[in-house]
Amino acid sequence: MERRLIVGYQSAVDYWRATRVASPDKDDSEFGSKVIGALPLSSAEQVARAMNLCCAEEPLDVVCPTRSDRRNSKRVVNHLWKGPLTRDRTLALGNGIEVCRMPAVFSQLATDLDEVSLAQIADEMAGNYVIDLGEEEGMVGDLAPLVTISELRGYAESARALNVRGAARACRALDLALPNSNSPRETDISIFMMQPRVQGGVDLRGFEMNVPIKLPASLAEKLNKKVIIPDFTWPNGTILEYDSKREHFSPEERARDELKRRAYQAVGMDCLTLTKGILRNNNEVDLFFAELERSLGLRRRAPNDRMLESRKLLRARLFGKEVKADS
């Protein structure tokens, strides 16, 4: 009987990303007859086979339920994992090789990553895209979600009940995660809006991402469309659209957007447009999200200096080095 090899952590992320973009079949020729024959693979062959199946770079992240499951190989990083690891938590790939399903992987990653990085992964796996640095845009879109936020939370809460290291952080990270993101930039905007103000965010929760809205007849006629799918929508009718093609607004663009905004407001909705240029400038970020607060009908104290400094740091982390508005 072949020894059980369980792939987890970042190597499992590599597997699930490759699976979502329907990666080509891997070449089994280097493993010879032992891949398809009756003889079990040696430990070294099993590790090589797992790396090939998972499209994972060396070293391979291997999950060890007990210390005796560790692999003595320079090509492997052994991770002792005390979280739930029943057979339904993994996917069998053959030859004794299994890969952890995403709920377990997410909590495993929480032993090293912080809440923001974890929320980015949660939004990706529960969203409609996958990170692929080989693509020009760094992603592949129009995909079905791999997992739900509730599935990630269910496992994290089970692991937390067992006092598994990282599980509490995984649960906190999921407070920043939402389904239906269409891109890494939408994910980062979502995290920025959900993060509490004391931690650098703007704390404008309550929105949904990419949910279809049927327009009133009068507005549908003006916009020549019956249904819209805004990037972000709040229950009061406020809509936020991210325009990735714009840096800044020209006077003509501002005029067009203002006409569209008035059309929305006439039926009790309000549409704001966010651009790359706004996200790359601290002052413009502050002004834009203050306007969004007004659209949402929020009245609260202006952020203090400490909040604003934290916001600058989070903005830079998510959207890059600041570019002055007149640059």
Side-chain angles (χ1 to χ4, degrees), residues 4-124:
R4 188 184 184 195
L5 186 151
I6 306 173
V7 179
Y9 292 79
Q10 186 58 49
S11 294
V13 174
D14 294 340
Y15 172 82
W16 290 113
R17 281 177 172 160
T19 298
R20 291 187 75 196
V21 296
S23 60
D25 293 337
K26 292 110 185 139
D27 180 13
D28 293 336
S29 60
E30 66 178 282
F31 301 100
S33 61
K34 290 189 178 182
V35 173
I36 58 175
L39 293 177
L41 300 179
S42 69
S43 181
E45 289 171 329
Q46 198 178 34
V47 169
R49 171 72 169 158
M51 290 178 63
N52 186 60
L53 286 171
C54 295
C55 299
E57 295 184 0
E58 191 172 326
L60 183 72
D61 292 301
V62 172
V63 176
C64 307
T66 67
R67 294 185 183 277
S68 63
D69 295 307
R70 292 182 175 185
R71 301 274 172 152
N72 185 20
S73 171
K74 293 181 179 180
R75 304 186 72 186
V76 162
V77 174
N78 293 290
H79 300 269
L80 192 64
W81 179 248
K82 297 297 184 182
L85 212 57
T86 52
R87 296 284 180 174
D88 61 323
R89 305 290 189 178
T90 65
L91 175 68
L93 302 181
N95 295 112
I97 301 165
E98 302 171 36
V99 61
C100 291
R101 295 186 184 273
M102 202 59 217
V105 176
F106 183 77
S107 290
Q108 291 165 4
L109 295 173
T111 59
D112 295 315
L113 301 182
D114 67 8
E115 285 88 343
V116 170
S117 295
L118 289 167
Q120 289 172 323
I121 292 173
D123 275 18
E124 174 190 351

Side-chain angles (χ1 to χ4, degrees), residues 2 18 20-21 38 45 54 58 104 119 163 173 183 198 205 225 258 304 315 325:
E2 282 179 309
R20 291 187 75 196
V21 296
E45 289 171 329
C54 295
E58 191 172 326
N163 294 317
S183 70
V198 295
R205 296 167 179 250
K225 57 179 70 174
E258 185 59 27
N304 58 38
R315 188 214 59 76

Side-chain angles (χ1 to χ4, degrees), residues 59-275:
L60 183 72
D61 292 301
V62 172
V63 176
C64 307
T66 67
R67 294 185 183 277
S68 63
D69 295 307
R70 292 182 175 185
R71 301 274 172 152
N72 185 20
S73 171
K74 293 181 179 180
R75 304 186 72 186
V76 162
V77 174
N78 293 290
H79 300 269
L80 192 64
W81 179 248
K82 297 297 184 182
L85 212 57
T86 52
R87 296 284 180 174
D88 61 323
R89 305 290 189 178
T90 65
L91 175 68
L93 302 181
N95 295 112
I97 301 165
E98 302 171 36
V99 61
C100 291
R101 295 186 184 273
M102 202 59 217
V105 176
F106 183 77
S107 290
Q108 291 165 4
L109 295 173
T111 59
D112 295 315
L113 301 182
D114 67 8
E115 285 88 343
V116 170
S117 295
L118 289 167
Q120 289 172 323
I121 292 173
D123 275 18
E124 174 190 351
M125 296 301 173
N128 308 310
Y129 70 94
V130 64
I131 299 294
D132 187 342
L133 299 181
E135 294 291 322
E136 183 177 351
E137 296 184 355
M139 55 158 277
V140 175
D142 298 322
L143 302 175
L146 176 67
V147 69
T148 67
I149 299 297
S150 62
E151 287 171 334
L152 296 177
R153 188 178 296 279
Y155 185 95
E157 290 178 348
S158 297
R160 183 173 59 179
L162 296 173
N163 294 317
V164 175
R165 186 169 71 91
R169 182 183 296 167
C171 290
R172 292 194 301 271
L174 290 169
D175 290 337
L176 301 176
L178 283 176
N180 301 325
S181 178
N182 278 339
S183 70
R185 182 47 55 89
E186 284 187 9
T187 286
D188 290 345
I189 294 170
S190 173
I191 292 170
F192 189 74
M193 293 195 297
M194 294 187 72
Q195 185 81 293
R197 295 204 297 173
V198 295
Q199 295 176 336
V202 292
D203 198 5
L204 297 175
R205 296 167 179 250
F207 58 86
E208 294 180 298
M209 284 194 282
N210 299 299
V211 175
I213 297 177
K214 185 176 181 181
L215 295 175
S218 58
L219 183 56
E221 185 176 351
K222 288 183 180 179
L223 299 179
N224 196 29
K225 57 179 70 174
K226 295 182 179 181
V227 176
I228 58 171
I229 306 178
D231 297 332
F232 306 92
T233 309
W234 282 262
N236 75 327
T238 294
I239 292 169
L240 188 157
E241 293 279 10
Y242 173 66
D243 192 333
S244 61
K245 297 179 181 179
R246 293 192 197 178
E247 283 288 337
H248 301 283
F249 293 103
S250 68
E252 294 79 10
E253 289 170 333
R254 288 186 183 277
R256 286 196 300 269
D257 281 350
E258 185 59 27
L259 286 174
K260 183 172 70 172
R261 187 171 181 176
R262 288 179 181 177
Y264 277 111
Q265 288 174 334
V267 293
M269 304 170 72
D270 191 16
C271 181
L272 285 74
T273 303
L274 182 62
T275 70

